[in-house]
């Protein structure tokens, strides 16, 4: 019985290490329908003085750390804007500069 408990703890530990080793990338870099989870919302100098306002707006819409989402559609020739769907089912269209602010890791 103790051995079984040790194996499951080891498995959990290995899964945690794997998750920790995955790097976060801009949402812009992921493929269509690939499930991802948001790590953080980062600064994008293109927004200038309103960057914090854009960050807060994204958070208000539900783009929060540990939220799962996926890209459901890409624009012409695979370029932005992208339609993304949050785990809650709600969908948004995001432009390139917004996609660059949202750092995610693959699930």
């Amino acid at each position: 019985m103790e051995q079984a408990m040790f194996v499951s703890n080891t498995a959990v530990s290995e899964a945690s290490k794997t998750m920790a080793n995955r790097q976060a990338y801009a949402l812009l870099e992921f493929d269509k329908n690939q499930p991802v989870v948001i790590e953080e919302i980062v600064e994008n100098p293109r927004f200038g003085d309103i960057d914090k306002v854009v960050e807060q707006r994204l958070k208000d819409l539900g783009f929060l750390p540990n939220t799962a989402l996926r890209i459901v559609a890409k624009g012409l020739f695979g370029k932005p804007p992208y339609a993304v769907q949050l785990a809650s089912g709600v969908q948004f269209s995001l432009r390139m500069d917004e996609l660059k602010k949202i750092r995610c890791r693959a699930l």
Side-chain angles (χ1 to χ4, degrees):
M1 187 70 162
E2 287 179 27
Q3 186 177 11
M5 188 65 152
F6 177 74
V7 171
S8 64
N9 285 341
T10 303
V12 169
S13 178
E14 289 301 315
S16 297
K17 286 179 187 175
T18 301
M19 295 297 274
N21 289 336
R22 290 187 185 169
Q23 287 187 322
Y25 298 96
L27 182 55
L28 180 69
E29 299 178 37
F30 289 95
D31 294 328
K32 182 178 170 185
N33 291 318
Q34 181 177 5
V36 299
V37 64
I38 297 172
E39 283 289 310
E40 62 181 330
I41 307 295
V42 298
E43 183 179 336
N44 185 340
R46 296 263 313 195
F47 286 112
D49 293 339
I50 65 165
D51 187 71
K52 290 294 181 189
V53 174
V54 174
E55 179 180 342
Q56 187 58 51
R57 181 67 177 146
L58 288 169
K59 289 178 179 179
D60 291 345
L61 292 171
F63 292 91
L64 300 168
N66 300 316
T67 300
L69 64 94
R70 65 187 179 97
I71 298 169
V72 294
K74 292 186 175 187
L76 190 61
F77 303 115
K79 303 288 184 192
Y82 290 180
V84 300
Q85 182 177 22
L86 297 174
S88 63
V90 80
Q91 293 186 7
F92 296 97
S93 179
L94 299 176
R95 299 170 292 189
M96 183 182 308
D97 292 331
E98 295 155 339
L99 292 164
K100 288 180 179 179
K101 283 186 70 62
I102 303 169
R103 305 289 292 183
C104 301
R105 63 177 163 74
L107 289 178

